[in-house]
Amino acid sequence: MKACEGRIGRVFVIRLEDGDVVPECIEHFAEEKGVSVGQAILVGGIGGGDVVVGPRRSEGMPPEPILLPIDESHEVLRVCVLAPDKDSKPVLHIHAALGRAGQTMTGCLRQGVTTWLVGEVILYEIVDAKVLRIKDRQSGFELLEPGSN
Amino acid sequence: MKACEGRIGRVFVIRLEDGDVVPECIEHFAEEKGVSVGQAILVGGIGGGDVVVGPRRSEGMPPEPILLPIDESHEVLRVCVLAPDKDSKPVLHIHAALGRAGQTMTGCLRQGVTTWLVGEVILYEIVDAKVLRIKDRQSGFELLEPGSN
Amino acid sequence: MKACEGRIGRVFVIRLEDGDVVPECIEHFAEEKGVSVGQAILVGGIGGGDVVVGPRRSEGMPPEPILLPIDESHEVLRVCVLAPDKDSKPVLHIHAALGRAGQTMTGCLRQGVTTWLVGEVILYEIVDAKVLRIKDRQSGFELLEPGSN
């Protein structure tokens, strides 16, 4: 466990429109506004894309992702952590539960998904927190490294 | 994508009691306290109600909702966005994952659900954000419109 | 419904490492930092433990929990409420959706779960909120009691 401390900055209320692709559009917004570290929640629909629904095997690095496609529009809740990579680009890590007709798929949205009708986002900026996403050689993931910057 | 900026205001720690109906009871609380825009998370149980688990078809407006009833008590996580409608009434948009015995149903709670035993809510007020829910003719939904007030 | 008011304090950006056990490690961190009341979101993997996936029956107190084991690593989203018990120890109530290969299990993580590879946590401190977790005789649960301290 590693941690660093910050404080809350600006809060953004965002409406995603039909077809907007997540996480790209929120990352672009954050970059444009100069939001480097933050947290977001999202409420809304997703109509397409692919979801990382686990590593094929729990052991063995790097993990081989299981990818499932999204068919038809889903009702979704998402929580997200924003932190900059080594080039200072804000990268959004999103986990989501996507539901349709009583079935739910939960996973990571890093492959990109398309908004269906509307997405409501609250993005909190966190200032004074020294944290980076640094590529981990073993897993190949950009892991959160509090205390770095 | 549309956005507006605000800052954090008061924070409310709320305990829902057995039988409390969501979103109504939180909307009443927000109105009483003068919270117009906000974000909330909820942890707790749901014992009854109906969940919107997607549009029957992804194409074609307005969408026809698929409704599923809640049978027996479920363990639930919820994220919510609060924004006022054209009459300045705060309206809470809640998406939730409801689990029981290893099955999960994810959807929108706008039809109303009943608290089982307890619900724990953290409600963040967002001040200075110009945003309204405005009825969209095509979908029939009250969509978030940042920049309006 | 019962409520109390506070305001936001410090924000912590936390990286859980492979094998870290939740909620214990976050509760220890909160205690060490003097965070008494708070809210957290978590994004990351879980590799083992047990999940409370509902009461066996919705009627009858105390509820008998249904416990399901976690097999293989899951992609998870979590929302959490932190409040002190009668001995001033911060207790974290976590609800989570755990997904793998298109199936999702949603429940309460109070039995303890083990981090797989990484967990990203944003912990918000809430100051000036008078709230305790007090043991409820009927249910046996430590229920949130706003207004107490």
Side-chain angles (χ1 to χ4, degrees):
Chain A
M1 188 176 185
K2 302 170 178 181
C4 69
E5 187 183 321
R7 55 190 176 80
I8 204 149
R10 294 168 289 173
V11 182
F12 296 93
V13 179
I14 301 168
R15 144 98 173 276
L16 302 181
E17 295 174 286
D18 196 80
D20 281 344
V21 175
V22 169
E24 283 79 354
C25 70
I26 300 174
E27 289 173 343
H28 289 160
F29 177 83
E31 202 166 3
E32 200 181 283
K33 293 290 182 183
V35 179
S36 179
V37 180
Q39 184 252 316
I41 60 101
L42 276 100
V43 172
I46 291 180
D50 289 284
V51 183
V52 177
V53 292
R56 197 163 295 276
R57 270 170 286 278
S58 302
E59 308 297 326
M61 288 287 148
E64 183 194 351
I66 310 172
L67 275 178
L68 286 180
I70 300 164
D71 193 32
E72 298 288 327
S73 64
H74 285 67
E75 305 278 322
V76 187
L77 78 162
R78 289 171 256 190
V79 297
C80 323
V81 174
L82 184 82
D85 66 12
K86 64 175 175 43
D87 301 319
S88 303
K89 186 190 166 298
V91 176
L92 196 65
H93 189 190
I94 307 178
H95 276 202
L98 300 91
R100 181 170 172 79
Q103 302 298 316
T104 298
M105 168 161 65
T106 298
C108 179
L109 303 188
R110 68 173 173 265
Q111 299 281 328
V113 295
T114 308
T115 303
W116 178 82
L117 189 55
V118 69
E120 299 184 359
V121 186
I122 306 291
L123 170 64
Y124 297 96
E125 181 184 32
I126 300 169
V127 294
D128 297 341
K130 294 181 181 181
V131 59
L132 282 181
R133 294 194 181 283
I134 295 176
K135 187 151 184 171
D136 172 57
R137 282 195 198 173
Q138 222 193 345
S139 64
F141 291 0
E142 290 195 328
L143 299 181
L144 205 62
E145 291 286 347
S148 315
N149 73 342
Chain B
M1 188 177 185
K2 301 171 180 181
C4 68
E5 186 183 321
R7 55 189 177 81
I8 204 149
R10 295 168 288 174
V11 182
F12 297 93
V13 179
I14 302 169
R15 145 97 173 276
L16 302 181
E17 294 174 287
D18 195 80
D20 281 344
V21 176
V22 170
E24 284 77 354
C25 70
I26 301 174
E27 288 173 344
H28 290 159
F29 177 83
E31 202 165 3
E32 202 181 283
K33 294 289 182 182
V35 179
S36 180
V37 180
Q39 185 252 315
I41 61 100
L42 275 100
V43 172
I46 292 179
D50 290 285
V51 183
V52 177
V53 292
R56 197 163 296 277
R57 270 171 286 278
S58 303
E59 308 297 325
M61 289 285 149
E64 183 194 350
I66 309 172
L67 274 177
L68 285 180
I70 298 164
D71 192 33
E72 299 288 329
S73 65
H74 286 66
E75 305 279 323
V76 188
L77 78 162
R78 289 170 255 190
V79 296
C80 323
V81 174
L82 184 81
D85 66 12
K86 65 176 174 40
D87 302 318
S88 302
K89 187 190 168 298
V91 176
L92 195 65
H93 188 191
I94 307 178
H95 276 202
L98 299 91
R100 182 171 172 78
Q103 301 299 315
T104 298
M105 168 161 65
T106 298
C108 178
L109 303 188
R110 67 173 174 265
Q111 298 281 327
V113 295
T114 308
T115 303
W116 177 82
L117 189 54
V118 68
E120 299 184 358
V121 186
I122 306 290
L123 170 63
Y124 297 96
E125 181 185 31
I126 300 169
V127 295
D128 296 342
K130 294 183 180 179
V131 59
L132 282 180
R133 293 194 181 284
I134 295 176
K135 187 152 184 170
D136 172 58
R137 282 193 198 175
Q138 223 193 344
S139 64
F141 291 179
E142 292 193 328
L143 299 181
L144 204 63
E145 291 286 347
S148 315
N149 73 343
Chain C
M1 187 177 185
K2 302 170 178 182
C4 70
E5 186 183 321
R7 56 190 175 80
I8 204 146
R10 294 167 288 173
V11 182
F12 296 94
V13 179
I14 302 168
R15 145 97 174 274
L16 302 181
E17 295 174 286
D18 195 81
D20 281 344
V21 175
V22 170
E24 283 78 354
C25 69
I26 301 175
E27 288 172 344
H28 290 160
F29 177 83
E31 203 166 3
E32 201 181 282
K33 293 289 182 184
V35 179
S36 180
V37 180
Q39 184 251 316
I41 61 100
L42 274 99
V43 171
I46 292 179
D50 289 285
V51 183
V52 178
V53 291
R56 197 162 296 276
R57 271 169 285 278
S58 302
E59 308 298 325
M61 288 286 149
E64 183 194 349
I66 310 172
L67 274 178
L68 285 180
I70 299 165
D71 193 32
E72 298 288 329
S73 65
H74 285 67
E75 305 279 321
V76 188
L77 78 163
R78 290 172 254 191
V79 296
C80 324
V81 174
L82 184 82
D85 66 11
K86 64 175 175 42
D87 302 317
S88 302
K89 186 190 167 300
V91 176
L92 195 66
H93 188 191
I94 307 179
H95 275 202
L98 300 90
R100 182 171 170 77
Q103 302 298 315
T104 298
M105 167 160 66
T106 298
C108 179
L109 303 187
R110 68 172 173 266
Q111 299 281 328
V113 295
T114 308
T115 303
W116 178 81
L117 188 55
V118 69
E120 299 185 359
V121 186
I122 306 292
L123 170 64
Y124 297 96
E125 181 184 32
I126 300 169
V127 295
D128 296 342
K130 295 183 180 180
V131 59
L132 282 180
R133 294 194 180 283
I134 295 176
K135 187 151 184 170
D136 172 57
R137 282 195 197 173
Q138 223 193 343
S139 64
F141 291 180
E142 292 195 327
L143 298 182
L144 205 63
E145 291 287 347
S148 315
N149 72 344

